[in-house]
Amino acid sequence: MIFLYKTPEQYTGKTIDFFLRQTGYSRRLIIDLKETEDGILLNGERAFTNVKLNTGDTLEIHLPAEEPSEHITPVPLPFPVIYEDEHIIAVNKPSDMPIHPSVNNHENTLANAAAWYFKEQNIPFVFRCVNRLDRDTTGLVLLAKHQLSGCILSEAVKAREIHREYIAVCQGILEEPGTINLPIGRLPGSAIMRRIDPEQGEHAVTHYAPIVSENNMTLLRIHLETGRTHQIRIHMGAIDHPLPGDYLYNPDYEWIDRQPLHSASLTFKHPINGMEMHLTAPVPEDMRRLFPSFFKKENI
């Protein structure tokens, strides 16, 4: 992929390296460009990154070719695309689908589904997942399609510039919005489970707002300030409103057979053109069935 830039006046006298870093290129990607023949061209000539720019200079960047992701077998699995362009792709991940291959999950993951999707189009595939969801959590997952969009979106995640809203179902009746500010840490003796840990846990903040209650359950909108592992599941349990169907923390399967948690929206700036993006994914049917009166009238 090729990117063309006309040097703005404010970068006159600045080096190519400085310009690229300000534009979102990572240190690793700049090193790769330096090692790529014709990776960096200034006014049509190969250039070193310490060369200084003048207003109106044309900088031409050729992203280095990549080897496809190894050890990811293409498998024809559900891969519902919500949005796609040449830089990013967003998918509405189904339940019972891990993000990455792991022990006992070699060919049932979102990565396998993505590999098949791109293989069918004869497009080289490198799996770059920007946001991660638990196996049974449904909803929006954002993938970067090349190194530059991956660099920029990774930095956006670190800067908390990708805003996520979840729809969840908890047990019991909640009538007022609230905020849960409780640190989360590993449960001793477990590599997977987490707990509230005031002494050694990491800072974690969850905001929730009730939408509707039926059958002694409440449908919630949830916004995260932090992104700790199992944060929503741990925090809702901590206020005695756990998610039903949660095999780790609340294995009550009377109403649903997985934790009813859905990544409903992502808001972020497009990594290349800077446009404000707001993507949404509808609430899945197994969660809708828990609130039949509400979902007869509403479509979220």
Side-chain angles (χ1 to χ4, degrees), residues 90-101 109-111 127 129-143 162 164-167 224 227-233 247 258-259 261-266 281 284:
V91 180
N92 185 10
K93 186 185 84 67
S95 63
D96 194 27
M97 179 180 279
I99 296 289
H100 294 98
T109 73
L110 187 70
F127 190 64
C129 187
V130 177
N131 66 306
R132 292 167 174 79
L133 299 178
D134 294 336
R135 176 181 184 136
D136 281 336
T137 300
T138 58
L140 289 166
V141 175
L142 186 60
L143 307 178
I162 297 180
R164 299 162 289 172
E165 182 178 84
Y166 291 82
I167 300 294
L224 300 180
R228 307 304 176 200
T229 300
H230 302 168
Q231 179 172 322
I232 294 172
R233 299 156 68 183
Y247 77 99
R258 55 107 181 175
Q259 76 257 8
L261 183 58
H262 177 68
S263 174
S265 74
L266 289 175

Side-chain angles (χ1 to χ4, degrees), residues 121-169:
Q121 302 173 71
N122 198 29
I123 298 173
F125 161 75
V126 176
F127 190 64
R128 297 183 183 87
C129 187
V130 177
N131 66 306
R132 292 167 174 79
L133 299 178
D134 294 336
R135 176 181 184 136
D136 281 336
T137 300
T138 58
L140 289 166
V141 175
L142 186 60
L143 307 178
K145 293 176 73 172
H146 55 72
Q147 304 101 307
L148 180 56
S149 59
C151 290
I152 294 171
L153 289 171
S154 292
E155 288 303 311
V157 169
K158 293 177 185 177
R160 299 180 183 173
E161 294 171 349
I162 297 180
H163 304 289
R164 299 162 289 172
E165 182 178 84
Y166 291 82
I167 300 294
V169 178

Side-chain angles (χ1 to χ4, degrees), residues 12-13 27-28 31-32 35 74 118 121 140 153 156 172 176 189-190 205 207 215 248-249 259 286 289:
T12 294
R27 178 176 175 274
R28 178 68 258 174
I31 290 172
D32 289 345
E35 295 175 350
F118 289 105
Q121 302 173 71
L140 289 166
L153 289 171
E176 300 294 331
S190 174
V205 179
H207 304 283
N215 300 317
L248 278 179
Y249 302 106
Q259 76 257 8
D286 61 350
R289 285 197 297 266

Side-chain angles (χ1 to χ4, degrees), residues 51-103:
V51 171
K52 293 183 178 180
L53 296 165
N54 293 306
T55 302
D57 278 347
T58 298
L59 191 61
E60 186 174 330
I61 303 298
H62 294 242
L63 294 185
E66 296 183 282
E67 292 295 323
S69 293
E70 296 181 355
H71 312 304
I72 298 179
T73 304
V75 181
L77 297 170
F79 193 71
V81 175
I82 296 293
Y83 175 85
E84 183 177 12
D85 60 30
E86 61 183 325
H87 309 292
I88 59 175
I89 183 168
V91 180
N92 185 10
K93 186 185 84 67
S95 63
D96 194 27
M97 179 180 279
I99 296 289
H100 294 98
S102 61
V103 177

Side-chain angles (χ1 to χ4, degrees), residues 3-23:
F3 291 92
L4 291 174
Y5 305 97
K6 281 288 185 182
T7 304
E9 184 177 354
Q10 66 264 33
Y11 288 102
T12 294
K14 303 296 185 182
T15 64
I16 292 174
D17 181 85
F18 180 84
F19 174 83
L20 292 177
R21 287 178 181 274
Q22 293 298 112
T23 308

Side-chain angles (χ1 to χ4, degrees), residues 1-5 25 29 32-34 36-41 59-65 147:
M1 182 167 288
I2 300 172
F3 291 92
L4 291 174
Y5 305 97
Y25 290 75
L29 180 51
D32 289 345
L33 288 169
K34 289 161 65 174
T36 300
E37 185 176 359
D38 296 336
I40 303 171
L41 301 179
L59 191 61
E60 186 174 330
I61 303 298
H62 294 242
L63 294 185
Q147 304 101 307

